[in-house]
Amino acid sequence: MSLNNLLEKKPWIGWAVFLGSLTAVFLLGLLAASIMERRSEALIAFAPKVQIKSLDPRNSKWGENYPREYNSFLLTQEGNFKSKYNGNGVVDMLEQAPAMVILWGGYGFSKDYNQPRGHFYAVEDIRKTLRTGAPKSENEGSQPNTCWTCKSPDVLHLMKQMGIENFYQGKWASAGPSIKNPIGCSDCHDPKNLNLTITRPALVEAFARQGVDINKATHQEKRSLVCAQCHVEYYFKGSDPKKPGTNLTFPWDQGTTVDNIEKYYDALEFSDWTHSLSKAPMLKAQHPDYEMWKMGIHAKRGVSCADCHMPYVAEGGIKYTSHHIQSPLNNINQSCQVCHRESEEVLKNNVYDNQTKVTEIRERVEQALVRTHVEAKIAWEKGASEEEMQPILKLIRQSQWRWDFAAAGHGNSAHAPLESVRMLGHALEKAGEARLLLANVLNKHGVAWPIDMPDLSTKEKAMAYVGIDLPKLKGEKEEFIKSILPTWDQKYNEFEKSLD
Amino acid sequence: MSLNNLLEKKPWIGWAVFLGSLTAVFLLGLLAASIMERRSEALIAFAPKVQIKSLDPRNSKWGENYPREYNSFLLTQEGNFKSKYNGNGVVDMLEQAPAMVILWGGYGFSKDYNQPRGHFYAVEDIRKTLRTGAPKSENEGSQPNTCWTCKSPDVLHLMKQMGIENFYQGKWASAGPSIKNPIGCSDCHDPKNLNLTITRPALVEAFARQGVDINKATHQEKRSLVCAQCHVEYYFKGSDPKKPGTNLTFPWDQGTTVDNIEKYYDALEFSDWTHSLSKAPMLKAQHPDYEMWKMGIHAKRGVSCADCHMPYVAEGGIKYTSHHIQSPLNNINQSCQVCHRESEEVLKNNVYDNQTKVTEIRERVEQALVRTHVEAKIAWEKGASEEEMQPILKLIRQSQWRWDFAAAGHGNSAHAPLESVRMLGHALEKAGEARLLLANVLNKHGVAWPIDMPDLSTKEKAMAYVGIDLPKLKGEKEEFIKSILPTWDQKYNEFEKSLD
């Protein structure tokens, strides 16, 4: 039977095909309409409501145009992983690990060191930490304005106004009244087109010294580089190459590994401070997150900071980048599971397993280094000579530099666990070598070995040992918070009116 | 225009549809025929040509039925990764790392230790190593038959015939004439159905002590467990729990990590040997490949030994498991790239990066341990007491155990690099602590510190220091190879005739 005959005998078949087609086309039309609607929604969503001036530091102002990004940024007020805190709640790391008070003896971090909090708290936390002290006037205090560089988009104004070097050179209290907005929109975005932008000079300079124009980086590279403006090892360069000055500088000229950066500092004979117990010329590692990320498998696979810490999310018809920057472990389904097919539980435990191994060795180094500092102090007291102590102090510097590089990076044991333990292995060895030399020096000066270790088991005991008067520091800071900060806020509010 | 009318006006459309269908059905038929052909090819390929008796040790006999698997097994004659060798070529590890001669002072491994070669060489290598000595009769020599356990399927016969314990108790030379086939088919397969089978008692017993019946493991589990029959940490248990005996035993009763296994040995006060320099009660780690694999990400993702070391390959219409067991780095496209989408170059460099970090710390530990053994030797010579030395010897034992566990596993830095460096970190610390105590003891006994280290920079110098007469050992072995081995082969050939 031919198709002709079939259709002649059963004409309803032809009609069925026809009606089926009509229905399909109708449904297709509905789908197209829905897509168009979503697109117009998106267009409306991204139509700017207000005009944002270049360098406008007010995140809330940007938020009027980009409410989703802004609202997710506001979530950085919420907890971080493993340490849910509310409002002002903080995790006191010196209480958790009193050894750090000894390791940083004579340096600001021994006074106060809290677990890092969300970007939202950047200004609040630097105002309140004991490390910035309690300056009563704009010319007082130990820290320079350089400390503000990574805390607020307000510094962009100041740098433009004063010139970069001049800005750095002022005392920390001098810029205080001009800074209020925490790390935010204009730190990484160009208001004209929202493109990612490197706004901080130190990163641009560090790449320029390698002959690289960072502004030519791809968008995906910038999704890590905007973070590298701050999440790096840095130091304050001064006119005397051996001592900290005020110019924010990334010590990357010989490379970005812990060994390369040490070479850079050693060549300058630079030290951040002289240890108050051992008298060793110390280096303080900041948070070399970018450097450590580069050593890990995620960087090697082309995964950027934003891919994990700022994953794409969808709300209504709109896909956007979450600005709730946080540990991916807090958000495994939207970050890790984009690539990894394992369960949240499995992925979390993989990271924990690595963290546990790194922490285990890190704590061994801390205990060894505490002993070295204390033994060195006693050696000096018993009359050890500069010549006897010099190789010991060098080993202490080398060991603690590696420990600090591994300990100070926020996500080191997730970013590059193997590199972390490699560094810590060297740190353990060097601390052991220092103690070996110390045993010999102590013996020569008639000190019975092993020495009796003081009780340094709590933050208070450790602080007493390095001579920190915590109640005094806290009292001064409280006075500063009560009497000085309101004047800063008042001045800022006046300045803020000029922004519109 | 209705479909009816259309077909009436243009009848060729109906014919075109009809002919199109015919062509499609014809092509489908061709495809089906090709599939059927491949299947029948496969059926022919797997039809047994010869009947294989249970426990038949002759790999070549099995090869008549399974030529692809057998031919790929023969390829284990070829090079291994990073060290292509031909025929009898070997890589002398003691030449590469003379420190090992010192670390194993007083133990067989200090005489001879070559880079592991393919399964094909298992019998040849154990016959020729200086570690098995040059026994002139079947009751001579230091090693028991236990050493044969993992070298040949011939031991299955002997174990059945003699009973397992009796087999273990004989001298190594006693079973020599009954063993000729290298590790092969019947070690892992049941000839009836080719199922994976655990043939070695030690693994079955180790799991049974945990209440687990290993024979109930899944096929995928067995794709690792058949390897775990041999690629594990083991010791020879005897009637005196503190000393090596002859019963092959896996020390897993407290777990399989380096720390768990140490607890097991410590509870027994077991030591493999007393170090000839330091007099420390030492543990020798064998090749804890299975244990280390379990600590790594591949095991955590359910990837078995065979998945990487014996990937599926296709030849003609047949897919089979390659028995050319080797480093996956030698065969990245067939092993790694089944899961990983990166280029061969990238994947290889990822492994190399990890290896480099592990090796870097491993070599630090070796240097530290060499010093500890030498310093301990001098301390004894200068009159140190048992009481003074006891804590030092314990630290040496603990440190070297961790070093050996990290160093002896064949692919440790690929299987579990982080765990390797974690162990090595502890090893470095403990060696450092031992040296610290030693410095104190040496000082008390009037020895100037640091001591002058002897030159141990070559295998020859290190052997002279631990009192190994290499030419003598080599001469005896050559005599053994010339006069004894031919008698073994002759006896085996006679026995072989009884197999058919």
Side-chain angles (χ1 to χ4, degrees):
Chain A
M1 179 159 59
S2 79
L3 195 55
N4 277 8
N5 292 344
L6 175 72
L7 285 172
E8 223 160 289
K9 284 192 181 167
K10 305 195 173 180
W12 59 266
I13 290 180
W15 283 109
V17 168
F18 177 66
L19 287 173
S21 307
L22 273 189
T23 316
V25 168
F26 177 71
L27 289 171
L28 208 63
L30 279 183
L31 180 65
S34 159
I35 290 170
M36 298 296 280
E37 201 183 322
R38 295 230 168 182
R39 271 197 58 79
S40 66
E41 229 177 82
L43 284 172
I44 292 162
F46 288 123
K49 291 197 182 69
V50 291
Q51 193 64 35
I52 296 167
K53 282 186 205 152
S54 178
L55 304 191
D56 194 320
R58 292 166 301 173
N59 301 319
S60 55
K61 191 83 184 178
W62 291 63
E64 290 178 38
N65 283 351
Y66 312 105
R68 285 166 193 80
E69 286 80 359
Y70 178 65
N71 282 322
S72 61
F73 155 78
L74 287 179
L75 293 175
T76 64
Q77 282 177 89
E78 284 186 3
N80 207 334
F81 203 71
K82 269 189 172 174
S83 65
K84 282 268 174 199
Y85 45 75
N86 307 307
N88 277 348
V90 291
V91 178
D92 185 336
M93 289 306 293
L94 300 180
E95 239 168 45
Q96 308 265 319
M100 292 182 183
V101 175
I102 305 298
L103 302 195
W104 290 322
Y107 196 61
F109 277 82
S110 64
K111 298 178 198 165
D112 196 2
Y113 178 48
N114 296 322
Q115 199 176 66
R117 301 203 291 169
H119 280 177
F120 183 86
Y121 296 105
V123 170
E124 182 184 329
D125 284 352
I126 193 180
R127 282 174 163 199
K128 292 187 176 170
T129 177
L130 298 179
R131 294 204 298 281
T132 48
K136 285 182 185 136
S137 80
E138 63 173 25
N139 299 317
E140 266 181 63
S142 60
Q143 304 297 336
N145 270 334
T146 324
C147 296
W148 288 113
T149 309
C150 273
K151 302 300 178 184
S152 168
D154 284 305
V155 303
L156 296 174
H157 261 297
L158 295 171
M159 283 180 170
K160 197 177 172 189
Q161 211 176 356
M162 302 167 67
I164 296 159
E165 280 206 33
N166 278 342
F167 167 75
Y168 287 153
Q169 278 164 16
K171 287 280 181 194
W172 177 76
S174 68
S178 312
I179 293 171
K180 198 176 172 195
N181 297 283
I183 302 162
C185 315
S186 69
D187 287 321
C188 306
H189 290 287
D190 181 338
K192 284 199 292 283
N193 47 22
L194 276 200
N195 280 353
L196 289 177
T197 313
I198 309 298
T199 57
R200 295 307 192 277
L203 183 70
V204 179
E205 292 160 10
F207 274 93
R209 289 197 300 274
Q210 310 292 316
V212 177
D213 180 357
I214 193 74
N215 290 309
K216 289 185 179 155
T218 65
H219 181 66
Q220 176 67 357
E221 286 168 339
K222 284 190 179 161
R223 281 162 58 81
S224 294
L225 287 170
V226 290
C227 310
Q229 297 184 93
C230 294
H231 287 266
V232 291
E233 162 63 9
Y234 60 81
Y235 79 116
F236 294 176
K237 192 176 181 173
S239 50
D240 180 348
K242 299 183 184 185
K243 288 181 187 169
T246 58
N247 271 14
L248 185 64
T249 307
F250 298 175
W252 293 351
D253 294 4
Q254 306 208 35
T256 58
T257 68
V258 69
D259 310 284
N260 291 335
I261 297 179
E262 185 185 52
K263 267 185 217 153
Y264 174 96
Y265 286 135
D266 281 354
L268 299 173
E269 296 179 48
F270 175 83
S271 60
D272 279 297
W273 91 104
T274 300
H275 199 280
S276 63
L277 301 174
S278 64
K279 311 297 173 207
M282 306 300 291
L283 294 172
K284 175 77 189 80
Q286 309 302 332
H287 28 53
D289 304 332
Y290 174 75
E291 294 92 332
M292 288 296 287
W293 160 80
K294 288 214 313 180
M295 308 283 290
I297 195 66
H298 285 89
K300 286 176 186 167
R301 293 288 180 266
V303 180
S304 73
C305 303
D307 284 324
C308 304
H309 294 279
M310 304 176 71
Y312 293 113
V313 291
E315 211 176 276
I318 317 270
K319 179 183 154 202
Y320 68 101
T321 299
S322 170
H323 282 59
H324 182 188
I325 298 162
Q326 62 180 333
S327 165
L329 292 187
N330 234 2
N331 190 22
I332 291 176
N333 66 324
Q334 290 178 324
S335 59
C336 316
Q337 288 180 333
V338 171
C339 297
H340 297 284
R341 285 170 302 173
E342 290 72 27
S343 73
E344 295 201 3
E345 190 66 14
V346 163
L347 292 169
K348 201 158 64 181
N349 284 335
N350 291 152
V351 178
Y352 281 178
D353 283 353
N354 290 352
Q355 281 182 343
T356 304
K357 287 183 205 290
V358 176
T359 307
E360 187 184 313
I361 304 296
R362 207 197 67 209
E363 287 174 353
R364 305 305 307 150
V365 183
E366 282 163 19
Q367 291 313 311
L369 275 171
V370 165
R371 286 182 174 273
T372 359
H373 285 298
V374 172
E375 287 165 353
K377 172 177 177 280
I378 292 169
W380 284 119
E381 286 166 1
K382 299 294 176 181
S385 70
E386 285 282 345
E387 199 193 339
E388 284 174 315
M389 293 300 283
Q390 200 280 331
I392 295 166
L393 303 188
K394 191 176 174 191
L395 285 164
I396 295 178
R397 169 190 167 99
Q398 292 173 331
S399 174
Q400 186 158 329
W401 164 244
R402 284 162 176 77
W403 164 79
D404 212 349
F405 210 91
H410 296 141
N412 279 358
S413 52
H415 293 152
L418 185 61
E419 171 66 5
S420 298
V421 182
R422 185 195 71 88
M423 292 191 284
L424 290 166
H426 284 290
L428 256 185
E429 188 187 28
K430 286 175 191 297
E433 282 175 19
R435 292 196 65 211
L436 201 51
L437 296 179
L438 273 164
N440 203 40
V441 170
L442 289 169
N443 164 50
K444 275 189 192 156
H445 292 274
V447 184
W449 190 94
I451 58 146
D452 286 329
M453 278 293 286
D455 179 1
L456 303 168
S457 59
T458 66
K459 171 181 162 178
E460 287 68 32
K461 287 173 183 169
M463 283 192 166
Y465 191 74
V466 295
I468 293 172
D469 186 345
L470 189 61
K472 181 167 168 277
L473 293 175
K474 276 190 171 170
E476 289 166 357
K477 194 79 196 191
E478 271 158 34
E479 181 56 32
F480 166 83
I481 291 169
K482 212 166 64 185
S483 61
I484 305 291
L485 284 189
T487 68
W488 288 12
D489 286 340
Q490 201 183 342
K491 280 189 195 157
Y492 191 88
N493 290 344
E494 279 159 34
F495 158 75
E496 203 174 24
K497 287 174 198 154
S498 73
L499 287 172
D500 279 317
Chain B
M1 179 160 61
S2 79
L3 195 54
N4 278 8
N5 291 343
L6 176 73
L7 286 171
E8 221 159 287
K9 284 193 177 165
K10 303 194 172 175
W12 60 266
I13 291 180
W15 283 108
V17 169
F18 177 66
L19 287 174
S21 306
L22 274 188
T23 315
V25 169
F26 177 71
L27 290 171
L28 209 63
L30 280 183
L31 180 66
S34 159
I35 291 169
M36 298 296 280
E37 201 183 323
R38 296 231 166 181
R39 272 198 54 81
S40 66
E41 228 176 84
L43 283 172
I44 292 163
F46 289 122
K49 292 197 180 66
V50 291
Q51 194 65 33
I52 296 167
K53 284 187 203 149
S54 179
L55 303 189
D56 195 317
R58 294 166 300 173
N59 300 321
S60 55
K61 192 83 182 173
W62 290 64
E64 291 178 38
N65 283 350
Y66 312 106
R68 285 168 193 78
E69 286 80 0
Y70 178 65
N71 282 322
S72 61
F73 156 77
L74 288 179
L75 293 175
T76 65
Q77 282 176 92
E78 285 187 3
N80 207 334
F81 203 72
K82 269 189 173 174
S83 64
K84 282 268 171 200
Y85 44 76
N86 307 307
N88 278 348
V90 291
V91 177
D92 185 337
M93 288 307 293
L94 300 179
E95 239 168 45
Q96 307 265 320
M100 292 182 182
V101 175
I102 304 299
L103 303 195
W104 290 323
Y107 196 61
F109 276 83
S110 64
K111 298 178 198 164
D112 197 2
Y113 177 49
N114 296 322
Q115 199 175 65
R117 300 204 292 169
H119 281 177
F120 183 87
Y121 296 104
V123 171
E124 181 184 330
D125 284 352
I126 193 179
R127 283 173 162 199
K128 293 188 177 168
T129 176
L130 298 179
R131 294 203 299 279
T132 49
K136 287 185 184 131
S137 80
E138 62 174 27
N139 300 316
E140 267 180 64
S142 60
Q143 303 297 336
N145 270 334
T146 324
C147 296
W148 289 114
T149 308
C150 274
K151 302 300 178 187
S152 168
D154 285 304
V155 304
L156 295 175
H157 261 298
L158 295 171
M159 283 181 171
K160 199 178 171 189
Q161 210 175 1
M162 303 168 69
I164 294 160
E165 279 205 34
N166 279 342
F167 167 75
Y168 287 154
Q169 278 163 17
K171 286 281 180 196
W172 176 77
S174 67
S178 312
I179 292 171
K180 197 175 172 196
N181 297 284
I183 302 163
C185 315
S186 70
D187 286 322
C188 305
H189 290 287
D190 181 339
K192 283 199 293 285
N193 47 22
L194 276 201
N195 281 352
L196 290 177
T197 314
I198 308 299
T199 57
R200 295 307 191 278
L203 183 69
V204 180
E205 292 160 10
F207 274 92
R209 289 198 299 277
Q210 310 292 317
V212 177
D213 180 357
I214 192 76
N215 290 309
K216 289 186 180 155
T218 64
H219 180 67
Q220 176 67 358
E221 285 167 340
K222 284 190 180 158
R223 282 163 57 83
S224 294
L225 287 169
V226 290
C227 311
Q229 297 184 95
C230 294
H231 288 265
V232 291
E233 161 62 11
Y234 61 81
Y235 80 115
F236 295 176
K237 192 177 181 171
S239 51
D240 179 348
K242 298 184 185 183
K243 287 181 188 168
T246 59
N247 271 14
L248 185 63
T249 308
F250 298 176
W252 293 351
D253 294 3
Q254 306 208 35
T256 58
T257 68
V258 70
D259 311 284
N260 291 334
I261 297 179
E262 185 185 52
K263 268 186 217 155
Y264 174 96
Y265 286 134
D266 281 353
L268 298 174
E269 297 180 47
F270 175 84
S271 60
D272 279 296
W273 90 105
T274 300
H275 199 280
S276 63
L277 302 175
S278 64
K279 311 296 174 208
M282 305 300 290
L283 295 172
K284 175 76 189 82
Q286 311 301 334
H287 27 54
D289 304 331
Y290 174 75
E291 294 92 332
M292 287 296 288
W293 160 80
K294 289 214 312 177
M295 309 284 288
I297 194 67
H298 285 90
K300 287 177 185 166
R301 292 287 180 268
V303 180
S304 73
C305 303
D307 284 324
C308 304
H309 294 280
M310 305 177 71
Y312 293 113
V313 290
E315 210 177 278
I318 318 271
K319 179 184 154 199
Y320 68 100
T321 299
S322 169
H323 283 58
H324 182 190
I325 297 162
Q326 62 180 335
S327 164
L329 291 189
N330 235 1
N331 191 22
I332 290 176
N333 65 324
Q334 289 178 324
S335 59
C336 316
Q337 287 180 334
V338 171
C339 298
H340 297 283
R341 286 171 300 173
E342 289 72 26
S343 74
E344 294 200 3
E345 190 67 15
V346 163
L347 291 168
K348 202 159 63 181
N349 285 335
N350 291 152
V351 178
Y352 281 178
D353 283 351
N354 290 352
Q355 281 182 344
T356 304
K357 287 181 204 290
V358 175
T359 307
E360 186 185 314
I361 303 294
R362 208 198 68 210
E363 287 174 352
R364 305 306 305 150
V365 182
E366 281 162 20
Q367 291 313 310
L369 275 171
V370 165
R371 285 182 174 272
T372 0
H373 284 298
V374 172
E375 287 166 353
K377 173 178 175 279
I378 292 169
W380 284 118
E381 286 166 0
K382 300 293 175 179
S385 69
E386 286 281 347
E387 199 192 339
E388 284 174 315
M389 293 301 284
Q390 201 278 332
I392 294 166
L393 302 187
K394 191 176 173 191
L395 284 164
I396 294 178
R397 168 190 169 98
Q398 292 173 331
S399 174
Q400 187 159 328
W401 165 244
R402 284 162 177 78
W403 165 79
D404 212 349
F405 210 91
H410 296 143
N412 278 358
S413 52
H415 293 151
L418 185 61
E419 173 65 3
S420 298
V421 182
R422 186 196 70 88
M423 292 192 287
L424 291 166
H426 284 291
L428 257 186
E429 187 187 28
K430 286 177 191 299
E433 282 175 18
R435 293 196 64 210
L436 202 50
L437 295 178
L438 273 163
N440 202 41
V441 170
L442 289 168
N443 165 50
K444 276 189 192 158
H445 291 273
V447 184
W449 191 94
I451 58 145
D452 286 328
M453 278 293 286
D455 179 2
L456 303 169
S457 59
T458 66
K459 172 181 163 179
E460 288 68 31
K461 287 173 183 170
M463 283 192 165
Y465 191 74
V466 296
I468 293 172
D469 186 345
L470 191 61
K472 180 168 172 276
L473 293 175
K474 276 191 170 167
E476 289 165 359
K477 194 80 198 191
E478 271 158 32
E479 181 55 32
F480 167 83
I481 291 169
K482 211 166 63 185
S483 62
I484 305 291
L485 283 189
T487 68
W488 287 12
D489 286 340
Q490 202 184 340
K491 281 189 195 157
Y492 191 88
N493 291 343
E494 280 159 31
F495 157 76
E496 204 174 23
K497 288 174 198 152
S498 72
L499 286 173
D500 280 320

